[in-house]
Amino acid sequence: MRRPQRPLPPADDSASPAAAGDDGAHPLPGNLPAELNHFVGRENELADVARMLEESRLVTVIGVGGVGKTRLATRAAALLEKRYCDGVWLVELSAVHDAGLLEHAVADALGLTDHTPRPPRAALIEHCADRDLLLVLDGFEHLVDDCAALVRDLLRRAPGLRVLAAGRLPLELAGEAVYPLATMTDEDALRLFAERAAGVRPDFRLTEHSRGPAQDLCRRLDGIPLALELAAGRLRALSTEQVLQRLDDRFRLLTGGSRSALDRHQTLRTAIGWSHELCAPPQRLLWARLSVFAGQFDLEAVEYICSGPDLPADSVLDVLSGLLAQSVVLREDSPAGTRYRMLDTVREYGAEWLAATGDTDRLRRRHRDWFLGLATWCELDWFSPRQAEVAARVESELPNLRRAMECSLESPQEAHLAQYLAGTLWFLWVGCGRLSEGRHWLDHVLEEETPYDASRLKALWVLGYVAVLQGDPVGAISALTECREEAEEAGDATAAAYAVHRTGCLALVTDDLERARDLLDDALGRYRELGELNSNVLMAQVELAMSTGFLGDLERAAVICEEVRDICEDHGEQWALSYALYVLAYATLQRGRPERARELLEKSLSISHAFNDLLGTVLSLELLALVTVTEGDAAEAALLQGAADRIWPSVGLPLFGSAHYGVPRARCEELALRELGGGRYASALRAGGELGPDAVVGRALLGRAGGRERARAGTDEPAGSAPPAPGGTRRPAASPASGRGGPERR
């Protein structure tokens, strides 16, 4: 049954994507971006969309490019935020070209991390099934059939879900309400032009003298918001009358003087084309070349990919600044730093010009080569204090990395480059919570028949690694056996070492501890011979410590992890450190020192959660629950256990619920049941199951002090804590303590 909705808030400017909740204390869940400038007009349209969402679970806003579909949809969603208990979530699909990545894009927008080998659609359906949320799908038209199928399945299985879509054509599903978005009214168009003009020229005012030309200009542009904003950008150099004169000449030239012959799409193309003509030749050239990017891009990439004899690298910044001044390119700040992007309609126009020059293929290869190099650098830099920065960088570049793999797969002769890229990005798939997408790409690139060179062998062991973490032992052993056999035949000692290592990891999680210990010892010996030292090698040591500790030698396990901790501190490594701390906490608790175990676990949990590492998070939570019941707070321990139970299905490793990894949970359950009894224990478990990862981690990190504060306050709510991040949203990877990055999930 759909949960009761809160009253619809008034459609005023106080409602924004970043607005606080009802009490003003906690942010609402969701990921709507903050508005960069004031939303102008469209009051009737906003009311219409809100009314249609009351009556239909699927509303699609359609219209020509540049008419303002995205802005209207996100504005309407922001005004309706308070009605959806589980948030409003924007999914931007324009940069997703592979239909196989559609579900991954939706899951990513929802902040859903699922490590299981089940189809991503199944994970999405399960996630949405009992939630009350609004999903905003933008820019889906190139994936319309696949998107329609996904939306149909989600709506059928998730009664609390509503979908607001924005695109150039409807999804054509039963029950869909279609809202054709018209251009702006004359009054709204004039308001928009005046406001944007004032942003360019602070002294701009609508006066008796300027109002007439401005109205004529808005009518010439048919009230299309993008066209109006492009025209307003021209006021840096021209008066309104001059803009109107040049635009009027352009219209007559293209239409033979027949104003009525202009449909709205042609009007927009005319406005963009007019802006294109007014650009200097280097600006036109850069505009065309920028069209090879997907999503955001940065200055370094532009200088490498787009420069040449006709556009020297040292001139690119000035030329790019010119495009920024004319609103052809937009600037955005992100966790990865200053980024740029182009609106889809503007990008498409540039792509047509690039194709006309015959330079598309060369620019796409140049783009691919840059991102191959970027991935290589990021892999090396992952083993450094810059892990969080690397994670932020590859997250922001994911659309471009996807496009680079797609480019390589278009030619059989270059498929090995796609294999290289998919293998090199192991730290993205494993360390940044993207196992499912990594599995998609690794399976895909390995379908191509290529020689067993280093690229293919690396993709194989990474595939085996991902399969281990997904709880797929059959897929893991198949890939790892093939990798090891071919590596030994080819004399590739590095690939063979990684295959042995990951086979040992598989043995560890399947409780074959003696074999795990032997394989991991073997792998570490091979790594020493090769002089290999990186994050993977440290994880092999941690895994050896786990197998050793589970076999009863806690002293040796602790010694191994102390060595790992020293190396991590020397190199600024974080994700391997989080697992070393977990093992040290396990050994410390066995020695009867719960307070010290808590200190170690709190640091481990903080790192794991900040890096979106579900496996590390859930293991630390369960061990913390055991520490908590040992300290005498059985109710809080049961609550932490209930929260861990909620996370485990997304980890997807039933193998980790084994006789060894399951010991802390079983012991905690025994002690808590003895203290609380069945009824209170079950109630605390249910309460924990209601908490999302952000909330439970914030609570757990309060430790014993938080328990004392809650006891004094007579409440189970965490006291003195900062509010959790909204609804499981992915945190910016600014630092291991505050952002996404990624300890590798063993």
Side-chain angles (χ1 to χ4, degrees):
M1 178 180 295
R2 182 174 171 83
R3 300 179 218 173
Q5 291 184 330
R6 306 174 198 171
L8 180 66
D12 61 24
D13 289 342
S14 65
S16 72
D22 287 344
D23 59 1
H26 299 288
L28 292 166
N31 69 338
L32 289 179
E35 293 181 332
L36 298 179
N37 51 27
H38 182 248
F39 185 90
V40 177
R42 301 285 204 187
E43 287 85 1
N44 292 336
E45 291 91 334
L46 289 168
D48 289 343
V49 170
R51 175 184 52 78
M52 293 172 75
L53 277 170
E54 285 280 349
E55 300 169 355
S56 175
R57 294 178 58 216
L58 170 60
V59 176
T60 304
V61 179
I62 63 171
V64 67
V67 79
K69 302 181 295 295
T70 299
R71 193 70 191 270
L72 180 81
T74 54
R75 178 62 173 174
L79 294 173
L80 297 172
E81 257 184 331
K82 294 182 181 180
R83 305 200 61 185
Y84 297 91
C85 303
D86 295 299
V88 176
W89 304 89
L90 173 64
V91 186
E92 297 176 297
L93 295 172
S94 60
V96 178
H97 298 277
D98 182 348
L101 297 175
L102 175 61
E103 286 91 348
H104 296 287
V106 177
D108 187 46
L110 287 169
L112 170 61
T113 302
D114 184 77
H115 293 171
T116 70
R118 60 183 168 174
R121 183 166 304 191
L124 279 174
I125 290 172
E126 179 181 300
H127 178 80
C128 295
D130 61 350
R131 284 177 165 81
D132 180 29
L133 57 86
L134 175 64
L135 199 61
V136 183
L137 301 178
D138 182 45
F140 62 83
E141 49 272 340
H142 58 301
L143 300 170
V144 62
D145 292 336
D146 299 280
C147 195
L150 174 60
V151 170
R152 181 187 62 236
D153 289 350
L154 288 174
L155 289 174
R156 284 176 175 173
R157 303 287 294 278
L161 171 69
R162 301 210 168 201
V163 176
L164 176 58
R168 299 188 187 183
L169 67 167
L171 290 166
E172 297 185 352
L173 292 175
E176 178 183 27
V178 178
Y179 187 74
L181 182 60
T183 54
M184 301 186 87
T185 64
D186 289 347
E187 181 182 352
D188 281 352
L190 185 60
R191 287 171 58 197
L192 177 65
F193 176 76
E195 179 156 318
R196 299 299 185 258
V200 172
R201 280 176 42 193
D203 62 339
F204 182 86
R205 299 288 185 276
L206 284 177
T207 64
E208 182 178 348
H209 173 72
S210 65
R211 180 177 294 272
Q215 288 175 324
D216 287 346
L217 180 62
C218 293
R219 284 194 291 269
R220 292 289 195 280
L221 295 175
D222 276 341
I224 298 176
L226 175 57
L228 292 169
E229 299 207 12
L230 289 171
R234 285 292 162 195
L235 295 186
R236 288 182 175 87
L238 303 172
S239 68
T240 307
E241 292 85 349
Q242 288 173 314
V243 172
L244 178 61
Q245 178 63 42
R246 283 159 175 74
L247 187 60
D248 201 27
D249 291 344
R250 171 78 176 172
F251 277 141
R252 284 196 293 270
L253 176 64
L254 291 183
T255 65
S258 173
R259 182 69 182 86
S260 62
L262 275 175
D263 64 21
R264 286 168 179 165
H265 184 72
Q266 186 59 49
T267 301
L268 178 60
R269 288 187 55 79
T270 299
I272 295 175
W274 172 74
S275 285
H276 187 266
E277 284 191 355
L278 292 179
C279 286
Q283 293 172 343
R284 297 183 202 171
L285 182 62
L286 182 58
W287 182 345
R289 291 178 177 176
L290 289 175
S291 67
V292 300
F293 287 100
Q296 297 179 334
F297 48 88
D298 66 11
L299 178 60
E300 284 183 317
V302 175
E303 288 175 332
Y304 174 82
I305 295 167
C306 300
S307 64
D310 45 3
L311 187 64
D314 58 7
S315 71
V316 165
L317 177 57
D318 288 339
V319 178
L320 181 63
S321 298
L323 294 177
L324 283 164
Q326 299 174 66
S327 300
V328 172
V329 174
L330 306 177
R331 180 184 183 275
E332 297 179 340
D333 292 322
S334 77
T338 299
R339 313 278 295 165
Y340 307 95
R341 68 179 177 91
M342 291 196 296
L343 296 178
D344 292 339
T345 307
V346 175
R347 187 192 307 277
E348 290 167 7
Y349 193 92
E352 292 176 8
W353 275 87
L354 185 63
T357 66
D359 209 20
T360 300
D361 289 343
R362 184 185 72 84
L363 263 295
R364 289 192 67 204
R365 287 193 299 272
R366 198 167 172 85
H367 173 277
R368 187 268 318 281
D369 293 346
W370 168 265
F371 286 100
L372 283 173
L374 177 70
T376 302
W377 173 82
C378 285
E379 182 189 29
L380 294 172
D381 220 31
W382 182 256
F383 185 56
S384 78
R386 294 177 293 279
Q387 276 184 337
E389 296 169 28
V390 170
R393 181 71 183 272
V394 294
E395 287 283 350
S396 66
E397 298 291 10
L398 185 54
N400 286 302
L401 292 164
R402 290 168 177 162
R403 181 163 288 187
M405 281 187 279
E406 291 166 353
C407 177
S408 298
L409 287 170
E410 290 171 3
S411 169
Q413 290 74 35
E414 296 184 332
H416 67 285
L417 297 176
Q419 293 170 352
Y420 172 82
L421 187 51
T424 297
L425 290 172
W426 67 266
F427 61 94
L428 173 60
W429 315 136
V430 172
C432 300
R434 294 188 176 275
L435 287 179
S436 185
E437 180 168 347
R439 184 69 179 267
H440 167 86
W441 282 113
L442 290 159
D443 283 337
H444 192 27
V445 300
L446 286 168
E447 289 172 357
E448 301 296 323
E449 292 295 331
T450 59
Y452 282 93
D453 61 5
S455 296
R456 184 175 183 85
L457 293 173
K458 185 171 187 177
L460 277 169
W461 72 253
V462 174
L463 173 60
Y465 184 12
V466 168
V468 168
L469 297 175
Q470 288 188 310
D472 178 14
V474 174
I477 201 63
S478 174
L480 293 170
T481 300
E482 182 180 354
C483 178
R484 182 173 179 177
E485 290 175 351
E486 294 297 334
E488 290 174 347
E489 183 177 333
D492 189 330
T494 300
Y498 280 95
V500 171
H501 171 189
R502 294 308 167 192
T503 306
C505 182
L506 178 61
L508 173 63
V509 302
T510 53
D511 287 331
D512 193 350
L513 297 182
E514 292 185 355
R515 183 166 184 263
R517 181 191 57 195
D518 294 343
L519 286 167
L520 291 166
D521 262 331
D522 183 5
L524 286 166
R526 293 171 184 248
Y527 287 147
R528 282 191 293 271
E529 290 180 10
L530 292 165
E532 194 90 344
L533 179 61
N534 55 34
S535 301
N536 280 297
V537 174
L538 294 183
M539 279 307 305
Q541 290 182 261
V542 173
E543 290 153 6
L544 176 62
M546 286 181 174
S547 61
T548 301
F550 290 151
L551 285 168
D553 192 348
L554 290 174
E555 188 63 35
R556 187 187 176 205
V559 169
I560 294 171
C561 285
E562 289 289 0
E563 180 184 346
V564 171
R565 179 159 66 174
D566 290 343
I567 297 172
C568 287
E569 290 175 354
D570 288 344
H571 292 270
E573 228 285 353
Q574 288 289 305
W575 69 261
L577 174 63
S578 71
Y579 284 95
L581 293 173
Y582 169 82
V583 176
L584 287 170
Y586 182 91
T588 301
L589 184 60
Q590 296 299 311
R591 295 176 182 139
R593 299 178 59 199
E595 290 191 3
R596 176 56 180 157
R598 174 177 288 280
E599 292 174 6
L600 294 166
L601 283 171
E602 286 179 351
K603 184 171 183 181
S604 175
L605 178 61
S606 177
I607 295 170
S608 297
H609 181 60
F611 287 139
N612 202 41
D613 178 359
L614 290 186
L615 178 57
T617 296
V618 75
L619 289 175
S620 292
L621 277 175
E622 288 197 331
L623 196 53
L624 260 177
L626 179 56
V627 169
T628 302
V629 74
T630 301
E631 293 172 334
D633 193 344
E636 185 69 10
L639 183 142
L640 294 177
Q641 210 172 55
D645 288 347
R646 174 179 172 174
I647 296 173
W648 269 117
S650 293
V651 175
L653 281 169
L655 306 174
F656 275 94
S658 66
H660 302 287
Y661 289 98
V663 166
R665 191 194 191 290
R667 180 61 176 157
C668 179
E669 180 178 6
E670 176 188 350
L671 295 175
L673 271 171
R674 183 187 307 166
E675 177 70 24
L676 300 172
R680 290 179 63 201
Y681 177 73
S683 176
L685 277 180
R686 285 193 299 272
E690 291 294 320
L691 297 177
D694 289 315
V696 71
V697 170
R699 184 178 182 119
L701 293 180
L702 288 172
R704 299 189 68 183
R708 288 192 295 269
E709 289 186 28
R710 287 192 297 274
R712 283 197 298 269
T715 174
D716 284 335
E717 292 303 316
S721 63
T729 51
R730 298 180 182 271
R731 290 163 300 283
S735 71
S738 64
R740 288 191 67 202
E744 175 181 68
R745 293 165 186 75
R746 266 200 358 18

